[in-house]
Structure formats: structure tokens, C-alpha cells
Amino acid sequence: MSQAPTAYGQGVSSQARNLRWLLSNLVEEVPGIGSVAVVSSDGLLLLSSDPDRADETARPGDAGGPRGSSADLATIVSGLGSLTQGAAKLMDGGAVKQTMITMDEASVFVMAISDGSLLGVHAAPDCDMSAIAYHMALFVGRAGHVLTPELRTELRKSMESAQ
């Protein structure tokens, strides 16, 4: 794997750089998105739209994401993933593909990635839900086949070193 220095402080593979680029592009190109997180099937943060803030504490009025922390978004995404998977089992509903929650002041979207990981988006309450769902599906389609166990380990270690 080719490696290059990044803002995360370590060299990363081209696959990791490509996933980070896709994630950054999702945030920059889709109006209404505040923050994005990719969470492994065991609940660990793999990628974040704000990796330098992965362990920040909450600040009043911070609109960067849930309580201003990608770690908080990862926790929410992981919890929602577990809850909806449990509900799907109880209802014999099959695999959960997407979860959308709208609130007065925010929206949260969670989409399954083929390897069991989850893509989570924190967005504005007046966002275009169909545009966000479409772009999330594009990300999942592009990311799903490259999220190998080796790449998940590399991403997890990279996030840990950023904290």
C-alpha cells in the first residue's frame, strides 16, 4: 500500500485517502450536512468529517455536530444501528438499509454499508432528505467494496492517533 502523510499525523494508504476524499466531498457538496461519521460494526469510529474534533467536549451553541463531537455522532449512529437491527429481527423485516430521524432542530440519517459498518449523517432540519439519501447511497456504493478488515484497522488506528 502506498502511504502519504496526512493531517491525521500518520501515513495512510491510497484506499484510506480515497475514502476520506469521498467523505469530505459528501460534506462539501450536499447542502445541509453538518457532520458525517463512518462507524464499524462493533461501534468504533473509522472516519469522520471532523477528525481533529473526535474527542472534543461539548460547547454550548456548537453546531458542528451532535454536541460538537464526531465521537458523539459515532455513538448515536452505533446505537441507532443496534436498535433498528433489533427491531428488524423482532419484525422479521430483513436487513436494515436506512434509518432517518427528523427533529425540530436537526436530522440524523444512518445507512448500512455492505461490511456491517454504518454511515451516519447529522444534517440541518430543513435539509433535502432525498438528496442526502442519494449521496449517502453513492458513498456506500463506492466505500462498501473497499472497507476490508485491513482498511478498517488502518482507519481505526488513524482515528485513535488523531485524538
Side-chain angles (χ1 to χ4, degrees), residues 131-144:
I132 289 177
Y134 172 76
H135 286 280
M136 286 178 72
L138 289 177
F139 179 93
V140 165
R142 292 173 181 150

Side-chain angles (χ1 to χ4, degrees), residues 75-96:
T75 301
I76 292 164
V77 168
S78 180
L80 287 171
S82 293
L83 180 64
T84 56
Q85 288 170 7
K89 284 181 184 177
L90 287 172
M91 295 185 209
D92 292 325
V96 177

Side-chain angles (χ1 to χ4, degrees), residues 1 8 11 32 35 53 67 69 85 93 107 116 122 134 143-144 157:
M1 283 190 249
Y8 287 86
S35 60
R53 298 175 53 196
R67 297 174 48 99
S69 169
Q85 288 170 7
S107 299
H122 172 249
Y134 172 76
K157 286 180 181 178

Side-chain angles (χ1 to χ4, degrees), residues 73-141:
L73 179 59
T75 301
I76 292 164
V77 168
S78 180
L80 287 171
S82 293
L83 180 64
T84 56
Q85 288 170 7
K89 284 181 184 177
L90 287 172
M91 295 185 209
D92 292 325
V96 177
K97 297 178 183 179
Q98 182 176 5
T99 304
M100 298 187 324
I101 300 173
T102 58
M103 299 166 270
D104 288 340
E105 301 298 324
S107 299
V108 176
F109 302 82
V110 178
M111 191 173 283
I113 300 176
S114 63
D115 70 333
S117 299
L118 299 167
L119 172 64
V121 169
H122 172 249
D126 59 348
C127 65
D128 182 343
M129 291 184 199
S130 61
I132 289 177
Y134 172 76
H135 286 280
M136 286 178 72
L138 289 177
F139 179 93
V140 165

